[in-house]
Amino acid sequence: MELRRLLRGRVEWSRLEAVVREIRDRYDREAAHVRFLDADNWLSTPMVIDDRWFVKVISRQNSVVHAVFTTGRNLGAFSSGTEGFFEHFADPVEMAEHELEATERMQEIGLNAPEPIEAFEVDGLGVLVLEYLSAFRTLDELDEAAEADLAPALFEALARMHDNDLLHGDLRAENVLICDGEIYFIDATNVREDGSQDAKSYDIACALGALEPLIGGKRTVEAATTAFRPDELLAAARFLDFVNIRPDHDFDAAVIQGEIEKRASSP
């Protein structure tokens, strides 16, 4: 945690106060109640304002850390036999604007996502404002039966993203929110359009890796087959080892690989 705080950096109180004042003025509030979230996040300082808005404050250091992550992910993609397909953002404002646009696109194609409000700049900081889902739980906070029930819907939603040329790029249990029994997606990252086919396979591999520790390899692959063909799952299997070396994933890649191969070889 201390390493995470060091890398993420601390945004000065005066700059955070400037962000809160800007939001208060934009939304015509006389005062604002601010609650900082101790989220497992390298790339922003998240907070909730008036239990109504979820706000990400993105600093220059967050942008630098994102560049380091992007380089590492592209090296990992190369080790999986493909060119890197992740892209870095030019600055903190671009990071905020991209997530706003990705959230808008998810809603446009009929997927659940927090209501996008706006993205703007305050004192060199990128600021993203979304609806705050007060009653959500992350996918890995549910009981196993609920996780298994939702698994096909997760893959079906991912397939809808891909059918509409929308890529997530950072799919993990923490980025899948459950609110009123519905799946919501957050935290899409930046992927090059010319690498979209490999990025789709990577997305599927991330979804497989997120679900396997929760419901087991067999049920995970069964759920994936409701939305993806065996050849698509075989393509995704190339990225399993790459996904598994990420510190935010920990799953049995061999079990998933074996289940996919069994499905692919079945008549």
Side-chain angles (χ1 to χ4, degrees), residues 29-197:
R29 313 289 285 190
E30 290 187 6
H33 175 265
V34 181
R35 176 162 52 91
F36 290 95
L37 301 179
D38 189 18
D40 191 23
N41 196 332
W42 300 83
L43 302 178
S44 68
T45 299
M47 57 186 175
V48 176
I49 295 183
D50 289 347
D51 285 328
R52 182 174 178 181
W53 296 292
F54 175 68
V55 179
K56 283 187 175 183
V57 180
I58 304 167
S59 68
R60 174 64 64 180
Q61 185 160 344
N62 294 145
S63 179
V64 170
V65 171
H66 183 270
V68 173
F69 283 3
T70 299
T71 300
R73 289 175 181 175
N74 282 332
L75 288 172
F78 182 76
S79 72
S80 300
T82 183
E83 292 186 13
F85 41 77
F86 295 100
E87 283 194 319
H88 176 49
F89 300 102
D91 54 47
V93 178
E94 187 176 344
M95 287 179 67
E97 290 173 342
H98 171 81
E99 188 167 345
L100 182 76
E101 291 166 6
T103 305
E104 291 171 340
R105 282 282 290 124
M106 281 190 268
Q107 288 199 334
E108 286 170 6
I109 65 175
L111 295 178
N112 294 321
E115 187 67 29
I117 309 299
E118 63 177 328
F120 52 89
E121 182 267 339
V122 175
D123 191 21
L125 300 167
V127 181
L128 170 70
V129 184
L130 303 172
E131 167 196 15
Y132 176 58
L133 301 174
S134 59
F136 79 86
R137 287 187 291 171
T138 59
L139 181 63
D140 56 349
E141 292 176 331
L142 306 180
D143 60 63
E144 186 174 336
E147 291 161 349
D149 286 344
L150 286 167
L154 188 154
F155 285 108
E156 288 161 15
L158 185 58
R160 179 179 290 190
M161 273 194 218
H162 292 175
D163 288 344
N164 287 273
D165 295 321
L166 180 62
L167 303 161
H168 191 283
D170 192 22
L171 191 58
R172 47 197 169 93
E174 293 87 347
N175 288 341
V176 180
L177 308 184
I178 312 302
C179 188
D180 295 328
E182 298 286 333
I183 291 175
Y184 287 71
F185 292 97
I186 60 170
D187 286 357
T189 192
N190 200 12
V191 177
R192 286 201 340 256
E193 290 185 6
D194 61 355
S196 64
Q197 194 53 55

